[in-house]
Amino acid sequence: MVDQLAFTQENRERIQAVENSFGPSGMSLIRPDRVLIGEGRLMKLCRRRPQPKVFFLFNDILVYGSIILHGRWHKKQHVISLEDIQLEDLEDGVIMENQWLIRTPQKSFYVAAASAEEKRAWMEHIEDCRCKQLQHAGCQPGCTFATTWIPDRASAICMRCSKTFTVNKRRHHCRRCGFVVCNACSKNRAVICHISTKPVRVCRLCHLSLQDHGELTQDEVHLRGDSDGRNCSDESDLVMPEYEATSDDEANERVEHHAPSNWVECHNSWSPFNYLKPDHQSLNLTGLSSHLT
């Protein structure tokens, strides 16, 4: 009983520390049946280049965000239910080694670990927690996922009209196919339910495809962005589907070579995956609620 009470208090303090690190803009993470499994830094492929992000694995959710202020504070908190996640193992790429794909309904993205061993640990334990959470909740895994965006640097031309991108001819992304396209080829807007309840940018071919399949409302058939290729429901309102690689964000991030919190010791910006308690490796969700109450 003493050990159980000590574990409950220790676990709560750790979750509170994660919650506090995101400041007032972050979501509340404390729940009676939630356990913090581990944390570490992974490289996430953003629009312009890979960036280090801090990831926290819980028994029911995956949380990640940007690293600021000597790694002790984080911003842009993203919370993903493990039931909604699908992992895909990938070979080493030109840009990142030890990478894999994380698919979710609202956003799919590539991440990479510092080593093959760390990659295997993350993938195995995300999948293990996901399977146990699905079993505990008695639900089926999701089957609708957002398309991964093609990185900006992968194409110097619009992938629809083949015109070269310039300072004035900027890159955009179709939310349906993930292609890098120019504004002229992506003026249309459509609601993609698993991404947003508001209209988002789609390229002309995807717009025609949606129209042919009867997936557009009458208003959406003619809905377009303004002269800048945006409307009231485009990039400015879509926090979750967006990538974080704006020039301001890159300038503001200050990644240091030590731990993102004071209770996990790491020695570089690619910290290894950390188990916070050995028992977490064989976590039994069936009796989890009674164990933590």
Side-chain angles (χ1 to χ4, degrees):
M1 178 61 70
V2 173
D3 289 342
Q4 290 183 1
L5 291 174
F7 167 74
T8 302
Q9 181 62 26
E10 183 182 20
N11 177 68
R12 182 180 180 86
E13 290 174 356
R14 286 168 171 164
I15 296 178
Q16 189 67 62
V18 175
E19 181 178 315
N20 292 344
S21 73
F22 284 97
S25 62
M27 293 175 54
S28 175
L29 299 175
I30 296 290
R31 272 182 45 173
D33 58 348
R34 179 163 291 160
V35 177
L36 178 56
I37 306 299
E39 70 168 84
R41 295 182 185 180
L42 300 173
M43 298 301 288
K44 177 178 176 292
L45 184 60
C46 299
R47 287 186 60 176
R48 294 183 177 89
R49 61 180 175 84
Q51 292 185 0
K53 305 290 178 181
V54 62
F55 281 77
F56 301 94
L57 176 62
F58 298 81
N59 61 303
D60 61 335
I61 58 175
L62 181 66
V63 177
Y64 73 93
S66 299
I67 306 164
I68 58 173
L69 197 59
H70 308 293
R72 292 187 175 89
W73 295 93
H74 309 117
K75 66 177 182 178
K76 293 194 173 182
Q77 182 194 69
H78 298 269
V79 180
I80 309 171
S81 297
L82 292 184
E83 298 100 314
D84 297 331
I85 285 180
Q86 182 185 78
L87 304 182
E88 180 181 342
D89 194 5
L90 300 173
E91 298 292 333
D92 289 349
V94 175
I95 301 177
M96 299 196 304
E97 297 181 350
N98 307 310
Q99 65 175 343
W100 71 97
L101 176 63
I102 298 179
R103 289 194 176 96
T104 78
Q106 289 186 297
K107 182 179 182 179
S108 299
F109 52 93
Y110 299 95
V111 294
S115 66
E117 292 75 17
E118 185 185 345
K119 169 187 172 179
R120 183 166 58 252
W122 272 102
M123 293 190 69
E124 287 179 355
H125 293 94
I126 291 174
E127 187 62 30
D128 182 59
C129 289
R130 173 180 172 272
C131 291
K132 290 176 179 176
Q133 182 63 19
L134 286 169
Q135 182 180 4
H136 179 64
C139 59
Q140 296 297 316
C143 58
T144 302
F145 304 101
T147 301
T148 53
W149 286 12
I150 296 175
D152 284 4
R153 66 169 64 184
S155 183
I157 62 173
C158 173
M159 301 178 77
R160 291 307 184 198
C161 69
S162 298
K163 292 183 179 179
T164 303
F165 291 117
T166 65
V167 174
N168 295 323
K169 195 176 187 65
R170 297 174 53 235
R171 290 172 171 83
H172 300 279
H173 281 84
C174 172
R175 303 306 192 269
R176 187 168 183 261
C177 66
F179 277 23
V180 185
V181 292
C182 67
N183 180 54
C185 290
S186 59
K187 286 184 176 293
N188 296 107
R189 303 292 183 267
V191 173
I192 303 178
C193 295
H194 61 276
I195 293 179
S196 175
T197 57
K198 299 179 180 180
V200 295
R201 181 187 296 271
V202 293
C203 69
R204 51 186 174 80
L205 290 186
C206 284
H207 190 264
L208 288 173
S209 176
L210 290 168
Q211 188 173 349
D212 290 342
H213 288 84
E215 298 180 33
L216 297 180
T217 64
Q218 191 62 36
D219 290 338
E220 289 176 321
V221 171
H222 304 289
L223 182 61
R224 299 166 71 88
D226 59 23
S227 58
D228 294 324
R230 300 177 61 174
N231 62 12
C232 61
S233 57
D234 196 26
E235 285 97 333
S236 58
D237 289 342
L238 291 179
V239 177
M240 179 61 184
E242 288 303 300
Y243 287 80
E244 296 89 343
T246 65
S247 57
D248 290 340
D249 291 337
E250 291 175 354
N252 289 337
E253 289 194 354
R254 296 291 182 266
V255 180
E256 300 293 336
H257 297 292
H258 50 67
S261 69
N262 59 5
W263 40 265
V264 177
E265 183 177 356
C266 309
H267 300 287
N268 54 53
S269 61
W270 284 50
S271 63
F273 186 82
N274 293 279
Y275 284 112
L276 304 181
K277 188 176 177 63
D279 293 347
H280 293 173
Q281 298 185 47
S282 56
L283 190 62
N284 183 0
L285 293 181
T286 304
L288 183 61
S289 297
S290 59
H291 176 71
L292 294 177
T293 54

